[in-house]
Amino acid sequence: MAPYLDLVFDIPANQHFTYRNLAAPSPAKTPREAVPGKRAMAPFGKRDLLGYIVAEREEAPAGVDQASIREIRRVVDTECTFGAEDITLAEWIAAYYLCGLGEALAAMIPSGRRAGSSPTLHGAEEEIAPSPLELSDEQREALETITASAGSPAGIPTGSPAGIPTGSPAGGPGGAPMFYLYGITGSGKTEVFLRTAEEVLKQGKSVIYLVPEIALTHQTSEAIKARFGTLAATFHSGMSPGARLSEWMRARRGDLRIIIGPRSAVFAPLNNLGLIIIDEEHDGSYKSGNTPRYHARQVAMRRRAVSGALLLMGSATPSAEAWNLMENGRIRRLYLSRRLAGGKPPEITAVSLEGTEGCLTPRLKDEILTTARMGRQTILFLNRRGFAYFYHCPSCGFELTCKHCSVSLTWHKDRGRAICHYCGYSEVPPKACPACGSLEAGFRGFGTEMIEEELGRTFPQLRVRRVDADSVARGKSLEENLEMFRAGMVDILLGTQMVAKGLNVPGVRLVGVILADTGLHLPDFRAAERTFSLLVQVAGRAGRYFPDGKVIIQTLRMGDPVIEKSTALDVDGFFRAEIAQRRALNFPPFSRLIRLSFRSRDSTRVDKAAARFADLSRPLLPPGADILGPAECPIGIIAGNHRRHLILRGPDMGSLHGAARIALLRYNKGRDSRVYAEVDIDPVSLL
Ligand code: ADP
Ligand code: ZN
Ligand code: ZN
């Protein structure tokens, strides 16, 4: 037993802390020896913190007063929860995302202190159930192309497509090829994913299968369990930390060979990793919203480089980044062009909402009725919850905004309150304009709740269900509602994003988008990409099994290129225009971004901090790089915190990253403790 241990903690410091090992092993029944790979409680300042033992040492670090070295309190784990490979990956995350090593480990390892109960099955040699489907020609060709490359790591020269910073612990680029299953919704991508996984498992290797948070329904995990039995486990957000930890441990021991889960499953400690699948690659949930703000695709590329595992992504609407890599040949595109379950791409029509009273155009109402008469079902989509959107006074221009955030309050009729969607603040809205007393003032725009009411009035005979964050929070779970919809007990399913993704219901004939333009106004260069992708995905819910699918897209922007391209399901055309625009404006994928955001209760301090960071980083910028801002964030105040940001933009991540790292070090030396700063490498949201 080494006399000293190096620990890291979940704190923003990239630093090891040395502790004395326990004087004598505790007399507990299970001796908890302190070794790297285990977690331990240790005194840190005035508190005790959970730490990760990353190294042991025979001597105290040079120049440290021996007497000042404290002893750890106790070892938490009986068995190692992480190994040398996990530490190496965590080091890469800390270097790339500019966070502490302990923060990286904390993001990777489930937070449970004690593994929950799970079946102790050993060997993982369960039979794989054969698929009942016969592959189409396109599917077979895709599968053969992928598996043919599996043995030859030098398949495609890749360089460093992900722009991993050179000179960081990232190491060199790996050789295993990357594939992209690009196919319309319903073209059978899942089956190709499963068959590829099967092949890789047969070679004795293991598989990570990433799915968007929202798509990880009971249905998906059941399908995978049916196929792979006890070889497979799912990670999902509903699991307790203990249950997650026990699956993590099973993977470490080699008792699991395929893990299905959202973003964080990319860290699964599987031995002999052979394949990483990223389903719905474009999905926003692959990017973490907290430090470290990692992107699962980026981590997957790193794991691929280290392990030689194949990377297989798929979507009907790739991200602009992936699209560009396919155009350059860095990612090999495999195209699936046909729907396989009897469906056809739906007929899509854009309809102007101008001049319509209420939220439903006559055209959409007609189609809803026709669909119901056929005994079929309708999905209505609006990316905005609540009853109405904002409170506006036409005589003086007053708007009702949150007391703590610079955003409009949303009227939630069923609760009788106007609510802030950012911080939760709510109030009873005024009867008259608080500024000028006008009685004309009131809520404008509309949300899901208002549409629910209009549907109830217009079609009292139809059964309507609303699914959004509000309806799900109160009572009926998403699963329950979807189950009823699937069973045909609901005529119209109305909802936000939740209905847009992955829903695979045969009875659906009609998809209606209430207002397609909601996301187009956002001050973000990805606004068009997101709107396009969402519309194509929503449209993809229609006509999956019958060739008569119909989609009505209501809009106030007839003729807008995004609306036109999505109506035509013209992914190539959309990206041709979008990529040209990104190139002209020098936005990703033609540049790389690092966003620094600052927040404080004090607006003067936050301005100063942002300006200071800009001054520190300016002389460090590599040729061709620039700084956007500092500026107020599009949402200038959230929960009483003033928000500023600046964006470092450069031609490649390597040089830009170096500048950001050094600027951050210098910034931290003299930083204002009342300003909170956060760094986001490859930001996805700029709000
Ligand atoms: P995607 O993931 O591309 O949107 P799915 O994988 O959900 O599409 O497949 C859509 C439907 O097609 C599913 O019901 C699936 O069972 C069916 N399907 C997939 N492959 C085949 C095949 N080879 N033959 C017949 N049906 C298939
Ligand atoms: Zn007024
Ligand atoms: Zn608020």
Side-chain angles (χ1 to χ4, degrees), residues 34 48 90 113 188 209 258 267 339 358 371 380 522 615 630-631 675:
D48 281 1
R113 296 296 165 92
Y209 191 149
I258 169 165
F267 300 122
R339 285 194 157 170
T371 304
L380 293 180
L522 295 176
D615 290 342
V675 177

Side-chain angles (χ1 to χ4, degrees), residues 402-405 407 409 420-425 639:
C402 175
K403 286 210 164 25
H404 315 292
C405 310
V407 297
L409 296 180
C420 170
H421 284 180
Y422 285 86
C423 76
Y425 167 83

Side-chain angles (χ1 to χ4, degrees), residues 212-214 279-287 295 497 501:
E213 223 139 53
I214 229 158
D279 193 5
E280 308 290 2
E281 171 275 336
H282 65 278
D283 195 87
S285 72
Y286 286 127
K287 170 85 171 173
H295 198 296
Q497 301 249 7
K501 299 182 183 177

